[in-house]
Amino acid sequence: GAVVSQHPSRVICKSGTSVKIECRSLDFQATTMFWYRQFPKQSLMLMATSNEGSKATYEQGVEKDKFLINHASLTLSTLTVTSAHPEDSSFYICSARGQITIGNQPQHFGDGTRLSIL
Amino acid sequence: GENVEQHPSTLSVQEGDSAVIKCTYSDSASNYFPWYKQELGKRPQLIIDIRSNVGEKKDQRIAVTLNKTAKHFSLHITETQPEDSAVYFCAAIASGGSYIPTFGRGTSLIVHP
């Protein structure tokens, strides 16, 4: 159980292109989804937290107009990198978590998307 | 906010040895502590977790200990195998808020055959 599917796994595109990444929870309802960025040999950097049906909460320093997040349903969240530039090249990972009832619950991660902007 | 420190950043052991990774946290409201294993280019996978009402939890070769007073928790891997080689992340999460996890910087574990 608790499977999170992330697509695409790899994107290579030209500078100025907008890229959409999808994150789906396949067998549970994800009340909350997280989007992370990970640089080589570094930890997970939280970009934003999204709750179904409401606007995403962005971490300090993350441009909300650059990284558009939509969480329209309990099983799908999307991250769109608008007008991507080479400095946006990175490994983006989503994670999903079900509703908090008693105590905390672990997050379940997608496979990640390797984004390369030429 | 919460601050999680993780040590060491790199850990090299011989196959069969034990490995210990330590994390400290700052927010006394944190009450849930998961550990993730991430192999190169793959997703982080939950390997074990512990809640603040428990001092120790074990799952086969993996164990986690928690000292709430000192605000530190540790991952113990016994009888290490080459397939244990990966980056391990600890995290701390506090209830009563948005339950946003704070991750440690990660430990690269290398198990030499």
Side-chain angles (χ1 to χ4, degrees):
Chain A
V3 177
V4 176
S5 174
Q6 184 175 342
H7 292 282
S9 59
R10 173 131 193 159
V11 179
I12 302 173
C13 58
K14 294 180 180 179
S15 184
T17 306
S18 291
V19 178
K20 181 188 263 188
I21 303 170
E22 290 189 350
C23 182
R24 294 179 185 271
S25 57
L26 298 185
D27 52 1
F28 68 103
Q29 293 186 325
T31 310
T32 304
M33 287 189 173
F34 302 90
W35 287 95
Y36 294 88
R37 185 172 179 176
Q38 189 175 34
F39 292 101
K41 298 185 179 180
Q42 292 193 25
S43 188
L44 300 157
M45 185 189 81
L46 181 65
M47 299 174 66
T49 303
S50 72
N51 292 296
E52 184 265 337
S54 60
K55 290 185 179 180
T57 301
Y58 290 81
E59 294 299 300
Q60 191 173 5
V62 178
E63 298 176 57
K64 59 181 67 178
D65 294 331
K66 173 76 172 176
F67 300 98
L68 301 178
I69 292 171
N70 183 283
H71 191 167
S73 77
L74 283 170
T75 59
L76 174 65
S77 176
T78 61
L79 166 67
T80 301
V81 183
T82 61
S83 187
H85 292 286
E87 58 267 27
D88 298 322
S89 298
S90 191
F91 191 54
Y92 293 87
I93 310 178
C94 72
S95 71
R97 186 181 66 199
Q99 188 172 8
I100 300 290
T101 50
I102 300 174
N104 278 300
Q105 292 187 22
Q107 301 174 71
H108 302 282
F109 288 87
D111 279 326
T113 297
R114 175 79 54 195
L115 177 61
S116 301
I117 307 299
L118 306 177
Chain B
E2 175 65 278
N3 181 46
V4 176
E5 298 283 339
Q6 182 172 347
H7 298 280
S9 57
T10 304
L11 180 57
S12 184
V13 300
Q14 287 296 128
E15 182 176 2
D17 288 349
S18 294
V20 180
I21 303 170
K22 299 180 179 181
C23 288
T24 60
Y25 61 99
S26 60
D27 188 350
S28 56
S30 289
N31 60 0
Y32 176 61
F33 308 92
W35 284 88
Y36 290 88
K37 174 184 179 182
Q38 186 180 26
E39 297 178 13
L40 189 63
K42 296 189 176 180
R43 72 174 78 189
Q45 289 192 305
L46 178 72
I47 55 172
I48 196 167
D49 56 10
I50 191 167
R51 301 182 191 279
S52 60
N53 59 346
V54 175
E56 183 175 358
K57 184 177 178 181
K58 190 173 182 180
D59 182 4
Q60 299 182 336
R61 297 187 296 109
I62 295 173
V64 57
T65 58
L66 171 65
N67 183 326
K68 287 173 55 180
T69 303
K71 295 196 186 72
H72 68 71
F73 55 112
S74 301
L75 178 71
H76 304 254
I77 306 174
T78 58
E79 300 172 32
T80 54
Q81 300 167 3
E83 49 266 38
D84 294 331
S85 298
V87 178
Y88 292 80
F89 294 99
C90 64
I93 305 169
S95 61
S98 55
Y99 299 92
I100 295 176
T102 301
F103 284 89
R105 287 183 171 272
T107 296
S108 177
L109 173 64
I110 303 166
V111 180
H112 299 280

